Amino acid sequence: MRPEEAAEIHDFVQSRWTRLVRTAYLLTGDHGEAEDLVQTTLVKAHAAWHRVRSSDNPDAYVRRILVNANAARFRKRRITQLLGAAVPEARVPDATHRVDQRDALLRALARLPARQRAVVVLRYWDDLGEAEVARILGCSVGTVKSQAAKGLAKLRVDPGLNGPQWDSGSDDTSEVLAHGRH
């Protein structure tokens, strides 16, 4: 590998690591798995670097690798740890209500089917257009629209998203997702 190509890959990884980990965390629901998923993604991107850098949108190409690598996780048999369905004591509302909201949103996202979760995360959290999401997932814009609508509908009725921590006046789940990015 030429030194300038190695420097280009290094710069790409440095500038995108945080965003990729955040997206992977939303897809996996676990920080450790998210970092592993991003590492797997970047190894695959490195192996195909000539295709990544020559694509029209290298970020979309790498996101596609990320989504596909995440989908591959479900093809493997894994054992998960479930610590409990609910917190044993009641939460007291305080200044950390946004943390509670974020936690509830992450749990609700984890309950969505993988395809709907990928669409909702890419569309509303990463703020990508329908066409770009369709290109990343290798499906039609209509599929993105229907999966987004189904995913948002499930989030709207999710019991974890209807508690007192959501009394902010907004019933629009996509708006809540957009505010979750900040």
Side-chain angles (χ1 to χ4, degrees), residues 28 30 33 73-74 76-84:
T28 63
D30 179 87
E33 286 188 39
R73 290 180 334 115
F74 294 105
K76 298 175 185 173
R77 185 175 178 179
R78 344 177 269 154
I79 299 172
T80 60
Q81 293 180 351
L82 298 176
L83 299 177

Side-chain angles (χ1 to χ4, degrees), residues 23-50:
T23 300
Y25 179 71
L26 292 168
L27 293 173
T28 63
D30 179 87
H31 192 71
E33 286 188 39
E35 287 183 341
D36 289 347
L37 180 60
V38 171
Q39 288 177 3
T40 299
T41 298
L42 293 174
V43 166
K44 290 180 180 192
H46 181 270
W49 187 248
H50 64 283

Side-chain angles (χ1 to χ4, degrees), residues 3-121:
E4 53 275 353
E5 188 174 83
E8 182 181 351
I9 293 170
H10 179 268
D11 291 345
F12 183 88
V13 169
Q14 288 292 319
S15 65
R16 276 110 173 147
W17 175 262
T18 302
R19 186 169 186 102
L20 287 171
V21 169
R22 184 179 59 225
T23 300
Y25 179 71
L26 292 168
L27 293 173
T28 63
D30 179 87
H31 192 71
E33 286 188 39
E35 287 183 341
D36 289 347
L37 180 60
V38 171
Q39 288 177 3
T40 299
T41 298
L42 293 174
V43 166
K44 290 180 180 192
H46 181 270
W49 187 248
H50 64 283
R51 288 191 308 267
V52 172
R53 71 190 300 226
S54 66
S55 71
D56 292 339
N57 188 342
D59 290 318
Y61 195 103
V62 172
R63 274 195 211 98
R64 174 77 184 260
I65 295 171
L66 179 78
V67 170
N68 288 343
N70 182 55
R73 290 180 334 115
F74 294 105
R75 290 186 207 111
K76 298 175 185 173
R77 185 175 178 179
R78 344 177 269 154
I79 299 172
T80 60
Q81 293 180 351
L82 298 176
L83 299 177
V87 178
E89 63 272 348
R91 294 183 184 182
V92 177
D94 59 13
T96 61
H97 72 280
R98 290 190 57 88
V99 173
D100 292 338
Q101 284 181 331
R102 187 179 188 101
D103 181 58
L105 179 58
L106 292 173
R107 289 176 189 266
L109 283 171
R111 288 188 286 272
L112 290 178
R115 181 75 158 207
Q116 287 176 9
R117 185 175 344 135
V119 168
V120 169
V121 167

Side-chain angles (χ1 to χ4, degrees), residues 100-101 103-105 107-108 111 154-166:
D100 292 338
Q101 284 181 331
D103 181 58
L105 179 58
R107 289 176 189 266
R111 288 188 286 272
K154 286 181 180 180
L155 291 174
R156 283 186 187 103
V157 298
D158 189 286
L161 297 181
N162 293 314
Q165 74 269 26
W166 294 100

Side-chain angles (χ1 to χ4, degrees), residues 119-120 124 144-154 156:
V119 168
V120 169
Y124 298 103
V144 169
K145 289 179 181 181
S146 69
Q147 292 294 297
K150 289 175 184 176
L152 290 176
K154 286 181 180 180
R156 283 186 187 103

